[in-house]
Amino acid sequence: MRQTKAFTIRYVRELFRSKAALFWTMIFPAGFYLITITMTIPDEAMGAGEGGVKAVIAVSFGMFGAIIAALNSFCEQLGTDLEADRYHQFRSLSIAPSSDLTGRLLAGVTLSVTAFLAVIPVAVLTGAEFSLASPLSPAVVVLAIVTFAIFWMVVAIAVTVSVRNERYASIITVSLALVAYMMTGYNGTDVSVYHGPDRLLNGMPHTLATRLIADQTIAGSAGLTPPTVPTVLSGLGLLIVYSVGALAIGIVLTRRVLYKREVVA
């Protein structure tokens, strides 16, 4: 527990001291949201439901910031440690690999949640209207972001340990984030620009999480159908399955690749 706390504090400090990480995860999505609603969305597209449309766009960009936090910021931090040969030092100490992994995940989740929340006040000031579907909606939002972030952070671990170069890993993860966002109809919030099978929007981790959050926080949830947004239990259940599977892979990668230890020992 002491090691986990120490790793968490270290990684949180590094992430929130990085001007680049804060810019790309908070300022960039919020700025992109402002540009979108003022320059690229025609007035007739807003209509009577302007507040709801802006809210959906805000959730979309908030989750984009969360993807950047979980993928790019996470991999840059890990890549820096690999290039600095810090794991040679860690292996020589009595460190539990699970403490390191847990600390990284907690720090990454913290940044992901913060990145999502950073867009919401900006959206409210521009007229976005949010409405909770139930008293449990805030818990659903947090759980959706946490499970979604764990999946993408493990993807970042896999990319980083495969490339072992901070610069290339950063390029790959940024590309993944952009492709995941743009090719799926802005995280599944605008089905009119998505050209794949509809059922995948409720199956991919980033689109499923985003659609669940929008459905729980926005009355009407314009642009989310078809397909129909899944129920909270089925949606969160699938996200939990994704995160548990990803976590198992993350444990294997951390123990076998980073710490050069057996998986079970």
Side-chain angles (χ1 to χ4, degrees):
M1 294 300 293
R2 288 195 298 269
Q3 288 180 8
T4 298
K5 179 180 178 181
F7 274 117
T8 302
I9 292 173
R10 179 204 170 208
Y11 295 139
V12 166
R13 284 176 176 172
E14 288 185 356
L15 283 174
F16 282 86
R17 285 175 179 173
S18 171
K19 294 180 180 179
L22 296 180
F23 174 81
W24 289 110
T25 59
M26 298 181 198
I27 299 175
F28 178 70
F32 211 160
Y33 163 81
L34 291 173
I35 292 173
T36 299
I37 65 169
T38 57
M39 299 182 64
T40 64
I41 304 295
D43 292 338
E44 56 270 20
M46 291 290 187
E50 178 178 344
V53 172
K54 289 181 177 178
V56 170
I57 296 172
V59 169
S60 171
F61 280 115
M63 291 299 281
F64 175 67
I67 291 180
I68 293 292
L71 271 174
N72 184 249
S73 300
F74 189 91
C75 94
E76 283 190 352
Q77 187 185 59
L78 178 58
T80 299
D81 284 345
L82 286 173
E83 291 191 356
D85 289 329
R86 291 195 178 97
Y87 278 97
H88 287 294
Q89 303 171 31
F90 291 166
R91 291 174 202 141
S92 65
L93 301 173
S94 180
I95 291 177
S98 58
S99 297
D100 182 4
L101 177 62
T102 302
R104 284 192 187 277
L105 293 178
L106 289 174
V109 165
T110 301
L111 182 61
S112 295
V113 173
T114 304
F116 173 79
L117 294 177
V119 180
I120 304 305
V122 177
V124 171
L125 290 175
T126 60
E129 298 176 356
F130 295 91
S131 176
L132 298 181
S134 75
L136 294 177
S137 293
V140 173
V141 171
V142 172
L143 189 54
I145 296 176
V146 170
T147 51
F148 145 94
I150 289 174
F151 174 86
W152 286 109
M153 284 186 286
V154 173
V155 172
I157 294 174
V159 170
T160 307
V161 298
S162 298
V163 177
R164 290 188 174 273
N165 181 291
E166 179 190 351
R167 180 181 178 184
Y168 293 139
S170 178
I171 293 172
I172 291 172
T173 51
V174 167
S175 300
L176 279 174
L178 287 171
V179 169
Y181 179 73
M182 302 299 292
M183 297 297 289
T184 57
Y186 313 122
N187 281 350
T189 58
D190 187 351
V191 299
S192 65
V193 297
Y194 171 69
H195 303 292
D198 288 347
R199 62 182 179 276
L200 289 182
L201 292 177
N202 289 334
M204 294 179 285
H206 62 296
T207 55
L208 174 57
T210 305
R211 288 162 62 80
L212 271 179
I213 291 172
D215 186 60
Q216 287 294 303
T217 58
I218 305 165
S221 305
L224 294 185
T225 56
T228 303
V229 179
T231 64
V232 171
L233 287 179
S234 62
L236 287 181
L238 182 55
L239 286 173
I240 290 172
V241 169
Y242 280 136
S243 64
V244 170
L247 188 58
I249 296 172
I251 292 171
V252 172
L253 290 173
T254 301
R255 293 190 65 88
R256 292 298 299 270
V257 180
L258 298 179
Y259 281 88
K260 307 292 186 183
R261 299 179 186 175
E262 296 298 325
V263 175
V264 179

